[in-house]
Amino acid sequence: MYGVGKLGQKRVVIRRQKVRQLLGDSPGLRFLLIPDRYKLSVTFLTPPTCSELAVFRSLTCLWLFLTAATAVAETPLHVGIDALLEAQSDAPCSPCTDDASFVRRVYLDFAGRIPAANETAAFLADSDEHKRRQLVDSLLASDEFPRRLQQLLHVMFMERLGDHEDWQAFLLKAAQENKPWDQLVREILNPDPESPETRGAAFFYTKRLENYGQNPVDYPGLVRDVGRLFLGVDVQCAQCHDHLFVDEYKQVDFQGLFAFVGNTFIRRDVSFPAVGENPLTAELEFTSVFEQVPRQTGPRLPRGMSVAVPEFAKGEEYLTPPDKKNKTPGVLKFSTLKILAEQLPRAENELFTNNVVNRLWWTMMGRGLVEPLDLHHVDNPPSHPELLELLADEFVKHQFDIRWLLRELALTQTYQRGSAMPEGHAAASTIPDYRAAVERRLSAEQLARSVLTATGELDRLEPLTASFTAAFANTPRDPELEFVPSVKAALFVMNDDAFAECLEPREGNLTDQLIKTPDSGKVVDQALLAILSRPPTSEERDEFVEYIDGHADRAAAIQNVVWSLFASTEFCLNH
C-alpha cells in the first residue's frame, strides 16, 4: 500500500513498509491535516523547513496506514482505483461516456464484437440506474466472454507466430473455467503431455522451437519471450553483456533464463505439441564481450537466486529413461521447466504480478501503467506506482482471478469516461492521467466479428476472419498495441471480394433490410445503430439522406453508405 499526499504541485508517494524508517521526533509542526477517505488536504500555516517536510511525509504515510489502508481494503477495488487517480489529478476529468458509447465499448471488450442493433436499442431504452453493472455481469457470464478471452490470450502469448487447434482448445477451456492466472502460466511453462486438457499449452514452446532451413533454433528469441510476456522484462540486449541502457538488466538475467529453456526440443514421437528436455549437467558458462571474465549461473529468474545444478552419474539423470525404440524422451530427475513453473508464477514474484495486472490494465484502458509493457525496471517507473501495487495486491488476494479483475476495471469511472477531454483542457503530454478514455485499436478478430454482427452474416465468420487477420494483424512478434492505419488494410476494405460480398444485399442481411426501407431517414438511423452503435446526429442524418435521395441508384447509394461507415476510423476503434 502506498501513501499519497500533495505538497503544492509535488506528489509525495511513500510505501507503507517505510513508515517505521521515516518516523522521527517532531520539530514542532505548523500545518493542518484535513483527512478524507482516500486523500489528505494539507495547509501550511508558515513556510515549512526541510525537517518539517520530512515529518509531513511521515505523518501522511502513517495516517494512510492507519485509516485509508483500511478503507481501501473494505472498499471495492473499482472505487479505490478511481479515488487514487482522482487524488493525483489537478485537472477535471471527462464525464462518463454516453450509454451508446459504453454499450459498444463493453461488448467489444467482453464479447469481442459490437452489439447487435437490437442489443444497443434495448440498452439505450433501459432506465435501470444499475444497467451498466448488470450488462458487465451479463457479458462476463455469457458464452461469448471465454471466446473473447481466448482470442486475447492467443494474440498476447503468440504475437501472430502461428496457431494450433490444441493450443486454442487449451486457452478456451482455461477461459471457460476462469483458470487462475498463476495456474495458467504454470501449465504453459511446464506443459504436461499426459493431460489431454492442458497439453496444448506446449505450443507456446514448440512454435518457438521450430527452425527453418539451415537456421538454428532461435533459443535467444524464446528466452526473450519468456521474460517479456511473463515477467515484463526484455533481456534481449543482455545476451552478450549487461544491457547498455537499462542498468537493471544484467547478462546473468539472460543466461539464467536461458538455463531454464535452452535445453528444450520438440518431441517427434507424438502428434500433438510437446516438448522434451535434455539434461542440464552443469551451470552455464558465459563471458561478457566487454570484460572477458568467465562467469557461471544455474537456472535463475531476474532478481532471483541461481538454482544449484545437481550432479548425476552418467545414465542416472532420468526418473524414466528415454526409449530409443519408441523415441520417447524420458523424464528427468532435474527438470528446469518444472522448476521454472514453480518459481516464476508466484505471488511473491513482483515482476510476475506487476506484469499481468499491467497488461490487463492496458487491455481495458488502452495504456499500461508501465510503458512499454515489457520494460519494467527502476529507471522506467510506473506512471502511478501506488495504483500498480494496489492492483497486484488485490489480484493476488483474489487468487489471480482474471474475470474478477476485468470486472472491477470495467466498473471504474476511469473505464467509463468519455474519450474527449473537457473543453479547455488538454491531455497530459507526458505521464498519462486517465482523465479521458484512451482510444484503442480493434484486433482482426474483433473487426471481423463486428462486421458480420452488423451485417447479420455470422455464417461467414471463419473465412472472413482469416482475411481480416491477413489484412489487419501485425507481423509476427510485433505486439498489437496501437492503432496504425496501413495501406494493406485500406486496400482490403476497398478491394477484398469477401468483404464486398458482406455488403451485397442478401435475404435478411443489413443491406437488404435497408434497401427495403422506403424512408431514407430511417435507413440512416438503422445503419448507424447497426454499425456505429449509436443514433446519427442531425447533421449526419441530413447529409446521408441528401446523398441517398439524390443518387440515381438508391440501392447502390445505400451500399455506399454502409461501406463508408465500415471504413470509418470510428468503426475501427474502441473509443
Side-chain angles (χ1 to χ4, degrees), residues 42-227:
V42 181
T43 302
F44 281 87
L45 304 181
T46 59
T49 65
C50 291
S51 59
E52 286 172 340
L53 289 180
V55 176
F56 157 70
R57 293 185 177 93
S58 302
L59 291 182
T60 300
C61 189
L62 179 61
W63 173 82
L64 280 159
F65 175 74
L66 296 175
T67 57
T70 302
V72 170
E74 296 174 351
T75 303
L77 177 61
H78 62 271
V79 176
I81 290 170
D82 289 329
L84 279 172
L85 289 174
E86 180 185 349
Q88 296 172 31
S89 177
D90 295 315
C93 298
S94 174
C96 270
T97 192
D98 58 49
D99 282 344
S101 295
F102 174 80
V103 70
R104 182 179 189 274
R105 184 181 298 175
V106 77
Y107 262 90
L108 283 166
D109 282 332
F110 290 160
R113 62 173 176 87
I114 61 172
N118 63 314
E119 292 169 328
T120 301
F123 186 78
L124 297 181
D126 190 349
S127 59
D128 193 321
E129 63 177 331
H130 302 299
K131 66 180 182 179
R132 294 193 177 195
R133 180 189 298 267
Q134 292 167 358
L135 178 59
V136 167
D137 290 338
S138 174
L139 289 174
L140 286 173
S142 72
D143 292 336
E144 292 188 275
F145 173 72
R147 175 189 44 76
R148 160 61 180 154
L149 184 57
Q150 171 201 37
Q151 293 173 349
L152 176 69
L153 294 175
H154 169 63
V155 175
M156 180 191 299
F157 285 135
M158 297 309 300
E159 296 182 332
R160 305 297 182 182
L161 283 170
D163 204 352
H164 194 284
E165 60 181 8
D166 288 346
W167 165 253
Q168 291 289 358
F170 163 71
L171 292 179
L172 180 59
K173 187 167 184 60
Q176 290 170 336
E177 296 175 348
N178 194 30
K179 185 170 292 184
W181 179 260
D182 60 334
Q183 181 182 345
L184 174 70
V185 173
R186 196 172 296 116
E187 290 171 353
I188 292 174
L189 294 178
N190 186 30
D192 182 2
E194 303 303 321
S195 170
E197 291 186 350
T198 64
R199 65 191 184 192
F203 185 68
F204 177 86
Y205 284 129
T206 59
K207 186 61 184 179
R208 291 168 167 87
L209 291 171
E210 292 177 356
N211 67 310
Y212 303 93
Q214 299 302 310
N215 296 316
V217 173
D218 185 12
Y219 285 106
L222 173 58
V223 171
R224 183 192 182 212
D225 286 351
V226 170

Side-chain angles (χ1 to χ4, degrees), residues 368-548:
L369 296 168
V370 176
E371 287 278 352
L373 300 182
D374 54 10
L375 282 179
H376 290 245
H377 59 88
V378 67
D379 294 322
N380 183 39
S383 59
H384 299 75
E386 65 283 357
L387 176 54
L388 183 65
E389 185 178 22
L390 176 64
L391 292 173
D393 288 349
E394 290 298 308
F395 192 49
V396 170
K397 186 184 299 182
H398 286 82
Q399 288 78 50
F400 297 95
D401 188 332
I402 303 170
R403 192 172 303 188
W404 169 84
L405 182 57
L406 293 176
R407 178 183 185 272
E408 290 297 316
L409 295 180
L411 295 179
T412 63
Q413 295 297 307
T414 306
Y415 174 81
Q416 297 184 29
R417 287 180 184 137
S419 55
M421 292 298 298
E423 188 175 350
H425 294 273
S429 58
T430 53
I431 298 177
D433 51 17
Y434 302 101
R435 289 185 290 129
V438 177
E439 294 174 343
R440 294 172 277 151
R441 71 177 284 170
L442 301 186
S443 69
E445 292 82 0
Q446 286 174 306
L447 283 168
R449 191 171 288 268
S450 293
V451 167
L452 296 177
T453 296
T455 60
E457 298 194 293
L458 282 170
D459 57 308
R460 298 183 176 212
L461 181 62
E462 188 170 341
L464 196 66
T465 297
S467 299
F468 267 79
T469 300
F472 290 95
N474 284 14
T475 56
R477 276 209 170 95
D478 182 12
E480 297 181 2
L481 304 177
E482 298 177 349
F483 176 62
V484 182
S486 68
V487 173
K488 181 176 64 172
L491 291 173
F492 171 84
V493 173
M494 290 190 293
N495 302 307
D496 185 77
D497 291 338
F499 177 66
E501 286 180 11
C502 295
L503 310 186
E504 294 287 338
R506 291 201 305 172
E507 184 63 33
N509 74 357
L510 176 65
T511 307
D512 178 62
Q513 295 176 32
L514 296 177
I515 291 174
K516 292 177 179 178
T517 302
D519 185 334
S520 296
K522 290 184 178 178
V523 168
V524 177
D525 291 343
Q526 293 171 21
L528 268 80
L529 190 68
I531 300 171
L532 300 185
S533 307
R534 65 171 177 84
T537 65
S538 57
E539 183 179 2
E540 287 171 331
R541 183 183 289 107
D542 291 344
E543 289 183 357
F544 279 127
V545 168
E546 181 181 357
Y547 173 74
I548 294 171

